[in-house]
Short mmCIF file of all heavy atoms in Angstrom, two decimals:
data_model
loop_
_atom_site.label_atom_id
_atom_site.label_comp_id
_atom_site.label_asym_id
_atom_site.label_seq_id
_atom_site.Cartn_x
_atom_site.Cartn_y
_atom_site.Cartn_z
N ILE A 371 -18.49 -3.91 26.36
CA ILE A 371 -18.84 -5.30 26.69
C ILE A 371 -17.61 -6.16 26.75
O ILE A 371 -17.43 -6.93 27.72
CB ILE A 371 -19.80 -5.89 25.63
CG1 ILE A 371 -21.03 -4.97 25.46
CG2 ILE A 371 -20.20 -7.30 25.95
CD1 ILE A 371 -21.83 -4.81 26.70
N GLN A 372 -16.73 -6.09 25.76
CA GLN A 372 -15.60 -6.99 25.66
C GLN A 372 -14.45 -6.63 26.54
O GLN A 372 -13.78 -7.51 27.09
CB GLN A 372 -15.15 -7.09 24.22
CG GLN A 372 -16.21 -7.71 23.27
CD GLN A 372 -15.67 -7.86 21.85
OE1 GLN A 372 -14.54 -7.49 21.55
NE2 GLN A 372 -16.50 -8.41 20.99
N ASP A 373 -14.16 -5.32 26.71
CA ASP A 373 -12.99 -4.89 27.43
C ASP A 373 -13.28 -4.36 28.83
O ASP A 373 -12.66 -4.80 29.81
CB ASP A 373 -12.26 -3.80 26.63
CG ASP A 373 -11.68 -4.31 25.33
OD1 ASP A 373 -11.87 -5.49 25.00
OD2 ASP A 373 -11.07 -3.53 24.58
N GLN A 374 -14.21 -3.42 28.90
CA GLN A 374 -14.41 -2.73 30.17
C GLN A 374 -15.19 -3.55 31.20
O GLN A 374 -14.82 -3.54 32.37
CB GLN A 374 -15.16 -1.41 29.88
CG GLN A 374 -14.43 -0.42 29.00
CD GLN A 374 -13.09 0.06 29.63
OE1 GLN A 374 -13.05 0.33 30.83
NE2 GLN A 374 -12.07 0.17 28.80
N LEU A 375 -16.22 -4.24 30.78
CA LEU A 375 -17.06 -4.99 31.73
C LEU A 375 -16.24 -6.00 32.54
O LEU A 375 -16.41 -6.06 33.76
CB LEU A 375 -18.22 -5.65 31.02
CG LEU A 375 -19.24 -6.39 31.88
CD1 LEU A 375 -19.81 -5.43 32.95
CD2 LEU A 375 -20.36 -7.00 31.03
N PRO A 376 -15.37 -6.81 31.93
CA PRO A 376 -14.57 -7.75 32.76
C PRO A 376 -13.67 -7.03 33.77
O PRO A 376 -13.51 -7.53 34.90
CB PRO A 376 -13.74 -8.55 31.72
CG PRO A 376 -14.52 -8.42 30.45
CD PRO A 376 -15.16 -7.06 30.49
N ILE A 377 -13.14 -5.87 33.40
CA ILE A 377 -12.29 -5.16 34.34
C ILE A 377 -13.10 -4.63 35.50
O ILE A 377 -12.70 -4.70 36.68
CB ILE A 377 -11.57 -3.97 33.59
CG1 ILE A 377 -10.65 -4.51 32.48
CG2 ILE A 377 -10.78 -3.14 34.59
CD1 ILE A 377 -10.01 -3.44 31.65
N ILE A 378 -14.26 -4.06 35.18
CA ILE A 378 -15.13 -3.48 36.24
C ILE A 378 -15.54 -4.56 37.23
O ILE A 378 -15.58 -4.33 38.46
CB ILE A 378 -16.37 -2.80 35.60
CG1 ILE A 378 -15.91 -1.62 34.73
CG2 ILE A 378 -17.34 -2.35 36.68
CD1 ILE A 378 -17.03 -1.08 33.85
N ARG A 379 -15.86 -5.74 36.72
CA ARG A 379 -16.27 -6.85 37.61
C ARG A 379 -15.18 -7.25 38.56
O ARG A 379 -15.42 -7.57 39.73
CB ARG A 379 -16.72 -8.03 36.77
CG ARG A 379 -18.08 -7.84 36.11
CD ARG A 379 -18.30 -8.98 35.11
NE ARG A 379 -19.63 -8.96 34.56
CZ ARG A 379 -20.04 -9.70 33.52
NH1 ARG A 379 -19.16 -10.57 32.95
NH2 ARG A 379 -21.26 -9.60 33.05
N SER A 380 -13.94 -7.23 38.08
CA SER A 380 -12.82 -7.71 38.91
C SER A 380 -12.18 -6.62 39.75
O SER A 380 -11.43 -6.94 40.69
CB SER A 380 -11.72 -8.32 38.00
OG SER A 380 -11.20 -7.35 37.11
N ASP A 381 -12.47 -5.34 39.41
CA ASP A 381 -11.83 -4.22 40.11
C ASP A 381 -12.88 -3.18 40.42
O ASP A 381 -13.10 -2.26 39.61
CB ASP A 381 -10.70 -3.64 39.24
CG ASP A 381 -9.94 -2.54 39.93
OD1 ASP A 381 -10.32 -2.16 41.07
OD2 ASP A 381 -8.97 -2.02 39.32
N PRO A 382 -13.54 -3.22 41.56
CA PRO A 382 -14.64 -2.29 41.87
C PRO A 382 -14.21 -0.80 41.86
O PRO A 382 -15.04 0.08 41.63
CB PRO A 382 -15.09 -2.73 43.28
CG PRO A 382 -14.64 -4.12 43.41
CD PRO A 382 -13.36 -4.25 42.61
N GLY A 383 -12.95 -0.53 42.10
CA GLY A 383 -12.53 0.87 42.15
C GLY A 383 -12.02 1.41 40.82
O GLY A 383 -11.59 2.55 40.72
N TYR A 384 -12.13 0.59 39.79
CA TYR A 384 -11.58 0.93 38.48
C TYR A 384 -12.22 2.21 37.91
O TYR A 384 -11.52 3.12 37.46
CB TYR A 384 -11.76 -0.23 37.52
CG TYR A 384 -11.41 0.09 36.07
CD1 TYR A 384 -10.13 0.22 35.64
CD2 TYR A 384 -12.47 0.28 35.14
CE1 TYR A 384 -9.83 0.50 34.30
CE2 TYR A 384 -12.21 0.55 33.84
CZ TYR A 384 -10.88 0.66 33.41
OH TYR A 384 -10.62 0.97 32.08
N LEU A 385 -13.56 2.29 37.91
CA LEU A 385 -14.22 3.41 37.26
C LEU A 385 -13.88 4.75 37.94
O LEU A 385 -13.63 5.74 37.25
CB LEU A 385 -15.75 3.16 37.32
CG LEU A 385 -16.26 2.06 36.41
CD1 LEU A 385 -17.74 1.80 36.64
CD2 LEU A 385 -15.99 2.35 34.95
#
Side-chain angles (χ1 to χ4, degrees):
I371 305 299
Q372 296 183 358
D373 294 2
Q374 298 296 320
L375 185 56
I377 297 175
I378 296 168
R379 286 171 174 169
S380 62
D381 183 357
Y384 170 76
L385 291 174

